Amino acid sequence: MAEAERIIGTPDTPDATGGGKERPDSEGTPAGEPGNGPAAAPGASGTGEPEATAGRPRGRRRIAVLFAVAAFAYALDLISKMIVVAKLEHHPPIEIVGDWLKFEAIRNAGAAFGFGEAFTVIFTMIAAAVIVVIARLARKLYSLPWAIALGLLLGGALGNLTDRIFRAPGVFEGAVVDFIAPKHFAVFNLADSAIVCGGILIVLLSFRGLDPDGTVHKD
C-alpha cells in the first residue's frame, strides 16, 4: 500500500515544490500528467514519450509565434522602406508633428540610429550572426514573451540585413533606409524600433527571472 502511494504521489512532488524553478505557460501541465495514476503509465512505455510529445506542440507554438512576429516586423519594415524610397526620397521632409517629428528619407551606412558608418561590413556580419543565434535558440523556446522578444529582434535584423545586401553601393555594404526623424534625435526606421523593443523586452524578462525555456529562476 505504501509503495502504491509512493508511485502515484511522487510525480506531483517536483511541480508542487518548484525546486526553485517554475515553468509557467509551458511544461507545467505535461509534467503533472503522470500524476494522474497508473493508467497513464502504459502510454509512457517507460520511455517518457507522453511528456515529450506533449511538450513538443507547446514548443512548436512558441516557435510559430516567434516567426510570425518576425515576419510581421520584417514585412512592415520592408513595405515602409519601399514607400519611402518611392515617395519621399529626393523630396522635402514631411512634418508629422510640427518640428518634433518628421518623415525624411536618409541612407545610413552605419548601425542603428546612424552610428559607426565606417564599419558597414562588420555590422552586416553581426546582424547575420544574430539571426543564426536566434534560429538556434528557437529549438529550446517554451516562453511566449521570449518568443515575441526574439521575433522582434529577428524581424528587425532581417529588415536591415536586406538593405545591407541589396541596396547600393554594393553587397554587404548597402546603406539602410531611415526615415523617422524626431527632433534632436537620430533618424531611424521600423527595423531599428523592432530591435530596440525586443532588446528592452529581453532585459525586462531577464530581470523577472524568466528564461527562454519557460522556467523561472529566483536568485
Side-chain angles (χ1 to χ4, degrees):
M1 186 64 180
E3 182 67 16
E5 290 177 352
R6 184 186 65 80
I7 294 173
I8 296 173
T10 301
D12 288 334
T13 303
D15 284 343
T17 59
K21 284 192 175 184
E22 300 174 358
R23 179 159 295 192
D25 203 27
S26 58
E27 294 183 11
T29 302
E33 285 178 1
N36 291 334
S45 300
T47 62
E49 278 298 317
E51 183 174 351
T53 55
R56 285 170 189 162
R58 292 175 177 272
R60 288 171 182 169
R61 285 197 291 269
R62 303 301 183 264
I63 294 174
V65 170
L66 186 156
F67 287 112
V69 172
F72 179 76
Y74 176 71
L76 209 59
D77 178 69
L78 186 63
I79 293 171
S80 67
K81 289 174 178 175
M82 292 173 61
I83 295 173
V84 166
V85 171
K87 302 294 184 180
L88 190 56
E89 201 166 35
H90 308 303
H91 289 80
I94 299 176
E95 293 186 352
I96 305 301
V97 186
D99 292 336
W100 291 97
L101 180 63
K102 298 179 181 179
F103 284 170
E104 180 179 7
I106 292 178
R107 297 293 182 115
N108 170 26
F113 307 109
F115 298 117
E117 295 187 6
F119 304 98
T120 305
V121 176
I122 295 177
F123 291 134
T124 303
M125 295 174 62
I126 292 174
V130 168
I131 293 171
V132 172
V133 170
I134 293 175
R136 291 177 62 87
L137 185 59
R139 295 179 300 174
K140 299 180 180 180
L141 189 63
Y142 283 87
S143 168
L144 181 59
W146 269 94
I148 295 172
L150 293 177
L152 290 171
L153 283 179
L154 180 59
L158 283 172
N160 284 338
L161 184 61
T162 300
D163 284 359
R164 303 289 188 200
I165 296 174
F166 295 106
R167 296 195 186 277
V171 178
F172 300 120
E173 296 181 353
V176 174
V177 176
D178 291 335
F179 62 94
I180 304 174
K183 189 176 181 179
H184 304 310
F185 196 73
V187 184
F188 59 97
N189 56 40
L190 294 182
D192 297 333
S193 302
I195 292 171
V196 171
C197 290
I200 292 173
L201 183 54
I202 286 176
V203 171
L204 294 175
L205 293 174
S206 299
F207 271 118
R208 294 190 60 184
L210 180 61
D211 294 330
D213 64 356
T215 58
V216 178
H217 64 268
K218 299 176 182 179
D219 297 330

